[in-house]
Amino acid sequence: MNINATIIGQAIAFAFFVWFCMKYVWPPVTNALKERQKKIAEGLDAADRASRDLELAKEKATQALREGKEQAAAIIEQANKRANQIVDEAKEQAITEGSRLKEAAQAEIEQEKNRAKEALRAEVAALAIAGAEKILDKEVDSKASAELVAKLAAEL
Amino acid sequence: MAAEGALTTSGYIIHHLTNLTFGKLPEGFVRYDGSVVGEGGTWTIAHGNEASTMGFWALNLDTMLFSVGLGLFFIWLFHKAAVKATSGVPGSLQNFVETIIEFVDENVKSSFHSRNELVAPLALTIFVWVWLMNLMDLVPIDWVPYLATQLGVPYLKIVPTTDVNATMGMALSVFALIIYYSLAVKGPKEFIAELTLQPLGKYMVPANLFLEGVNLLAKPVSLGLRLFGNMYAGEMIFILIALLPFWIQWVLSVPWAIFHILIITLQAFIFMVLTIVYMSMAHESH
């Protein structure tokens, strides 16, 4: 174990290795590390942003759904109301139409009744005259008797 | 095992603790095999304790080979990941590299607050390189040296951090950076003021200089020797365990190796953290 020139050789080798390491090993590796760090940070940022966006979109979607439901409910309600209205209107119309028809029928019946009465009355008068003629067995002044018969008929 | 005293216990231990040293032996030196070095000396591989005669201008070939090899492996692997680094989904290699880099970066950020492009790569290099060098300690102690001996290489220490040259080489490099940044960031005036005007006030300059000087010089020494001491001691225990009969070795070597997984990581981590702290102190006035 002697101190000799090896000490110098070792120092030279040491200096060379340090120089080489400083020039060609350290910078590329640390640069890669730094760059990766940046990339990871950016990636995490993006993920954060994306999850925030997702949250927002979900909220929007639920809101749209709620609005749609509300709208649909309103429409249905309106439709129901309208249907009821239509039914009511129809009923009313039917009732008026019915009463109108009834009135018309009644009027016609009345008219027919009057007409029948009239006819009956005339026939009864003629019948009465004929009866009287037969009874009297003589020609009665038909004009005077006709007046008489009409009066009779009106009293009938 | 090779050379003299090959089969004795102490010979075995010494063999394991001897580096493969290449240096110059002086003229007239009597070598391990009795031959005498000729005129003008000779450049050769040391045997036995010849390395101590070679003086400073000798090189531990095994330390250099394994440390540079492991360092090259480190930058090759990390560069491979760095070239293909993507900010998208990382592959398994990139994942692995990123884990280590983030670990180092966290440590740097927690104790170093100035701006300096060098500190983090410095810490990364120290952590991974020292860890890899320490890891060689877990290779079974006789495998590689035995193989080397068969190939005619007399000594081979495969754990560079058990060579004080390796750890001190790194520690002194860190020390040089401490001095450089102290001067460059604080300026010479403040640096000298820090060394001389505290902790005892401006009338005790020599005492201050002594205290702060010890403080400053203790940094590289503690940095280098702590790593060296831990790894050397760990290696020593492995060597001693290897002296037991082969069928009982596992009782001790397995727990020690498992414990060493912690030690080698911890020592690499301590070297790194202390470097960061020292660099931080060099940048900040206190």
Side-chain angles (χ1 to χ4, degrees):
Chain A
M1 189 199 329
N2 310 286
I3 295 283
N4 57 28
T6 311
I7 207 167
I8 297 172
Q10 193 73 16
I12 293 168
F14 183 44
F16 168 73
F17 293 139
V18 171
W19 169 81
F20 188 92
C21 188
M22 186 169 80
K23 198 103 181 167
Y24 299 109
V25 173
W26 192 266
V29 176
T30 47
N31 281 346
L33 284 173
K34 266 183 214 149
E35 222 164 283
R36 184 169 327 129
Q37 243 166 10
K38 221 173 80 189
K39 267 190 192 171
I40 291 172
E42 278 167 6
L44 287 177
D45 255 13
D48 263 3
R49 254 200 320 276
S51 73
R52 252 202 318 279
D53 284 356
L54 183 66
E55 201 86 349
L56 222 64
K58 264 186 190 165
E59 220 165 86
K60 262 188 194 163
T62 43
Q63 203 181 343
L65 208 63
R66 207 173 44 231
E67 272 172 19
K69 270 183 186 165
E70 271 168 18
Q71 240 162 14
I75 287 170
I76 289 171
E77 202 177 328
Q78 219 173 8
N80 276 341
K81 224 192 278 176
R82 180 90 187 105
N84 285 344
Q85 209 180 349
I86 288 170
V87 169
D88 283 352
E89 271 172 20
K91 257 186 202 164
E92 226 166 274
Q93 235 169 6
I95 288 168
T96 25
E97 184 71 15
S99 57
R100 197 178 58 77
L101 281 177
K102 210 167 102 191
E103 265 166 39
Q106 249 162 2
E108 207 171 327
I109 289 166
E110 199 73 20
Q111 216 174 358
E112 208 65 31
K113 199 168 92 187
N114 287 348
R115 208 179 301 144
K117 261 184 193 169
E118 210 67 26
L120 199 59
R121 204 176 284 150
E123 216 152 308
V124 168
L127 209 57
I129 289 166
E133 266 175 8
K134 261 173 196 169
I135 295 164
L136 297 175
D137 206 13
K138 94 178 191 187
E139 191 97 6
V140 180
D141 184 9
S142 59
K143 199 177 164 196
S145 57
E147 256 170 53
L148 194 74
V149 170
K151 214 187 273 175
L152 201 72
E155 275 168 25
L156 219 76
Chain B
M1 278 173 264
E4 76 271 56
L7 289 169
T8 67
T9 301
S10 64
Y12 175 79
I13 294 173
I14 288 168
H15 175 251
H16 265 296
L17 294 178
T18 307
N19 280 108
L20 181 68
T21 309
F22 180 79
K24 188 183 183 187
L25 287 172
E27 190 179 331
F29 182 81
V30 182
R31 298 210 59 184
Y32 68 103
D33 54 1
S35 60
V36 178
V37 175
E39 204 174 321
T42 177
W43 287 92
T44 182
I45 300 232
H47 280 76
N49 58 0
E50 286 173 349
S52 56
T53 320
M54 288 175 169
F56 182 76
W57 293 110
L59 204 59
N60 293 344
L61 296 178
D62 46 2
T63 301
M64 287 311 296
L65 178 74
F66 280 97
S67 64
V68 171
L70 290 166
L72 288 175
F73 172 72
F74 153 61
I75 59 171
W76 168 77
L77 188 72
F78 275 57
H79 184 245
K80 199 174 134 193
V83 166
K84 285 190 288 183
T86 159
S87 60
V89 180
S92 46
L93 175 65
Q94 197 191 338
N95 228 336
F96 168 73
V97 167
E98 277 176 4
T99 309
I100 294 175
I101 283 187
E102 279 193 316
F103 168 71
V104 171
D105 202 31
E106 233 166 72
N107 277 295
V108 171
K109 277 183 180 141
S110 69
S111 37
F112 184 82
H113 304 295
S114 313
R115 270 193 62 80
N116 192 331
E117 301 288 302
L118 174 74
V119 173
L122 174 74
L124 175 70
T125 309
I126 287 174
F127 181 64
V128 181
W129 193 28
V130 170
W131 188 82
L132 283 172
M133 291 195 284
N134 290 352
L135 184 67
M136 291 294 105
D137 214 6
L138 295 180
V139 176
I141 191 123
D142 274 325
W143 284 9
V144 183
Y146 180 77
L147 202 68
T149 309
Q150 298 305 308
L151 293 172
V153 180
Y155 301 98
L156 199 66
K157 260 174 91 176
I158 65 165
V159 193
T161 40
T162 56
D163 181 357
V164 73
N165 290 297
T167 62
M168 283 314 287
M170 296 176 79
L172 289 175
S173 304
V174 172
F175 183 63
L177 287 174
I178 293 172
I179 300 291
Y180 171 76
Y181 281 113
S182 291
L183 290 173
V185 177
K186 295 179 190 167
K189 232 169 124 183
E190 203 190 326
F191 183 48
I192 289 169
E194 259 180 20
L195 285 178
T196 52
L197 298 181
Q198 53 173 12
L200 297 174
K202 58 184 171 180
Y203 300 109
M204 301 284 278
V205 169
N208 290 337
L209 188 61
F210 174 71
L211 287 171
E212 287 292 317
V214 168
N215 189 12
L216 185 66
L217 293 176
K219 284 172 184 173
V221 174
S222 75
L223 198 58
L225 291 188
R226 174 183 298 108
L227 177 60
F228 163 71
N230 270 283
M231 298 319 296
Y232 190 80
E235 179 85 342
M236 197 67 172
I237 303 289
F238 276 123
I239 294 171
L240 294 179
I241 291 171
L243 288 170
L244 295 171
F246 75 91
W247 45 268
I248 197 74
Q249 284 179 13
W250 65 272
V251 175
L252 291 171
S253 65
V254 169
W256 184 242
I258 292 170
F259 178 58
H260 236 66
I261 295 172
L262 174 69
I263 297 292
I264 62 174
T265 313
L266 196 65
Q267 286 306 319
F269 177 69
I270 289 172
F271 202 112
M272 175 188 81
V273 168
L274 282 179
T275 304
I276 298 169
V277 170
Y278 291 157
M279 293 303 287
S280 166
M281 285 163 82
H283 279 72
E284 287 162 16
S285 306
H286 46 98

